[in-house]
Amino acid sequence: DAKTTQPNSMESNEEEPVHLPCNHSTISGTDYIHWYRQLPSQGPEYVIHGLTSNVNNRMASLAIAEDRKSSTLILHRATLRDAAVYYCILSYGGSQGNLIFGKGTKLSVKP
Amino acid sequence: EAGVAQSPRYKIIEKRQSVAFWCNPISGHATLYWYQQILGQGPKLLIQFQNNGVVDDSQLPKDRFSAERLKGVDSTLKIQPAKLEDSAVYLCASSPRADTEAFFGQGTRLTVV
């Protein structure tokens, strides 16, 4: 399975944009890029996913590099409730089955 | 819309005892997953069901773990006998199909002493 690399932790100030990077240099052409986040004492929560084009939804934006070897999750205006562990995950053909979660990036948001 | 329900929320047992966890997925979701999350790590898939059939149980320690999904709705995960290293949060998730987003429950925190 293709692997992802994320920083262990990041800090942000409230109401500022946050760019969470993810490297996936061994991604294959059929791998989708998924982002989930996990708030303290909660189960993971779906954020966004994409294949080649940039994606936007009400929670975030996903910017995918042209060569697809990296991607960035963008939170446009961080709030205290966005403090969580963010996981970048690859899956074959878009299937959510057997999502291989790494350790993710722990995002702290300062007021 | 009601989310994925899991019970109990917390469980403490002694090693070699048995334990069972229950999951009620979101209504109409055909795909159900059980994940194990050890402290400080990301969740790891144990088993995936499509309706009441098993799609993937390659990472389920079958000598002590078992899971079933009767009638393609509720599911139970059992550990018998438990070991200290089974201490973890057990997460259930469901999705309408395998290629749509998964919705997770709050999990059951198991402590084996």
Side-chain angles (χ1 to χ4, degrees):
Chain A
D1 295 303
K3 295 217 178 342
T4 62
T5 304
Q6 300 177 253
N8 290 333
S9 62
M10 290 184 65
E11 269 191 4
S12 171
N13 294 316
E14 197 176 11
E15 298 190 6
E16 289 185 356
V18 182
H19 291 233
L20 295 163
C22 181
N23 287 320
H24 28 78
S25 58
T26 59
I27 191 170
S28 73
T30 52
D31 284 337
Y32 280 69
I33 303 158
H34 303 266
W35 284 84
Y36 278 75
R37 71 179 185 180
Q38 188 169 22
L39 280 65
S41 301
Q42 300 290 320
E45 173 188 33
Y46 169 83
V47 178
I48 200 166
H49 79 284
L51 181 61
T52 55
S53 304
N54 295 344
V55 184
N56 299 296
N57 66 20
R58 62 175 180 81
M59 287 182 72
S61 295
L62 175 60
I64 301 172
E66 205 168 317
D67 63 4
R68 301 210 325 126
K69 294 187 176 183
S70 65
S71 60
T72 302
L73 179 70
I74 302 165
L75 306 179
H76 295 287
R77 214 163 144 263
T79 68
L80 297 179
R81 288 174 35 223
D82 290 323
V85 177
Y86 286 78
Y87 297 99
C88 170
I89 306 161
L90 302 182
S91 75
Y92 173 76
S95 172
Q96 303 280 328
N98 199 7
L99 296 174
I100 300 176
F101 289 79
K103 290 191 175 182
T105 297
K106 184 173 183 179
L107 175 67
S108 302
V109 181
K110 296 184 292 185
Chain B
E1 177 181 79
V4 176
Q6 291 188 246
S7 68
R9 285 296 313 277
Y10 305 92
K11 189 75 177 179
I12 301 174
I13 62 171
E14 294 183 350
K15 60 183 179 184
R16 292 187 289 273
Q17 284 188 325
S18 302
V19 64
F21 313 124
W22 174 80
C23 172
N24 179 229
I26 293 172
S27 178
H29 282 196
T31 309
L32 185 145
Y33 314 86
W34 282 102
Y35 282 82
Q36 178 194 57
Q37 186 171 23
I38 293 171
L39 187 65
Q41 299 181 15
K44 181 185 85 171
L45 181 75
L46 292 176
I47 190 167
Q48 177 186 349
F49 291 94
Q50 183 68 23
N51 296 309
N52 60 346
V54 175
V55 173
D56 182 357
D57 64 355
S58 57
Q59 298 190 87
L60 186 73
K62 298 180 188 64
D63 57 335
R64 298 184 301 105
F65 286 64
S66 65
E68 61 181 7
R69 189 182 185 197
L70 297 176
K71 300 181 182 178
V73 182
D74 292 3
S75 178
T76 55
L77 176 69
K78 297 179 182 177
I79 308 175
Q80 181 179 11
K83 293 185 176 181
L84 296 176
E85 59 260 36
D86 297 332
S87 294
V89 175
Y90 290 85
L91 295 158
C92 179
S94 71
S95 60
R97 304 187 312 266
D99 61 347
T100 52
E101 66 177 276
F103 295 82
F104 284 78
Q106 288 191 298
T108 296
R109 182 178 297 278
L110 173 67
T111 302
V112 182
V113 298

